[in-house]
Amino acid sequence: DVPGRMMFFTTPDGTSSLIERMRITNAGRVGINTNSPDALLHVSGSQGSGNVALFQRKEGANNTSYMVSIENDDTTSNQGAGLNVRAGNDNGDVTFNAVTRDGTYGLRVIGDGKVGIGTDTPSQELHVEASSANEIFLIKT
């Protein structure tokens, strides 16, 4: 038993020194710009005004699937809640969704600026639907 890791290095422009850029630990964790990943995928960095991560669907790759989906896939306890983001396609479908574990939208922001709470088809700038006759708003001071 010899635990190992894989490390990836590059040489920045104008230098001859290697710098570790990515590591896969013996526990299967992947670290980008960190040699001690704290999660299955740990991306660390300061890019000034640039992106730390960029997910990009190229032209001609029209697709109605989500660009990013973060879900709890624990089927043993009926935990299907998650967040997902859809980039635009030919229909202009740009959405940010918070989905409850039963698959309904708790919160949905669509590309035209409409926000739906309790609905997946907001018809106004802010559209709130209650699932029961209970109070819709609660304001505490």
Side-chain angles (χ1 to χ4, degrees):
D1 180 23
V2 181
R5 63 181 174 265
M6 293 178 67
M7 299 180 301
F8 300 85
F9 295 81
T10 63
T11 305
D13 287 340
T15 71
S16 60
S17 301
L18 290 172
I19 295 178
E20 183 178 339
R21 300 296 188 178
M22 185 171 88
R23 175 182 294 212
I24 302 173
T25 69
N26 64 331
R29 294 180 176 191
V30 177
I32 299 174
N33 236 16
T34 179
N35 60 11
S36 178
D38 293 325
L40 287 176
L41 176 61
H42 181 161
V43 180
S44 178
S46 173
Q47 300 298 321
S49 61
N51 301 316
V52 172
L54 174 64
F55 299 91
Q56 192 173 56
R57 183 176 287 139
K58 294 294 188 180
E59 184 177 344
N62 182 21
N63 195 322
T64 58
S65 62
Y66 296 111
M67 288 289 291
V68 178
S69 189
I70 302 168
E71 301 172 350
N72 183 348
D73 196 26
D74 179 3
T75 57
T76 60
S77 57
N78 196 23
Q79 301 288 322
L83 299 172
N84 52 55
V85 178
R86 177 179 294 161
N89 59 21
D90 288 343
N91 296 325
D93 295 334
V94 177
T95 60
F96 171 83
N97 307 299
V99 184
T100 63
R101 69 181 182 181
D102 67 0
T104 59
Y105 295 99
L107 171 72
R108 187 166 206 207
V109 180
I110 56 178
D112 63 3
K114 293 178 182 154
V115 177
I117 300 173
T119 179
D120 63 344
T121 55
S123 59
Q124 304 296 320
E125 299 304 312
L126 177 60
H127 182 157
V128 179
E129 283 191 19
S131 59
S132 67
N134 295 333
E135 297 175 352
I136 293 177
F137 293 102
L138 175 63
I139 301 174
K140 289 187 172 185
T141 56

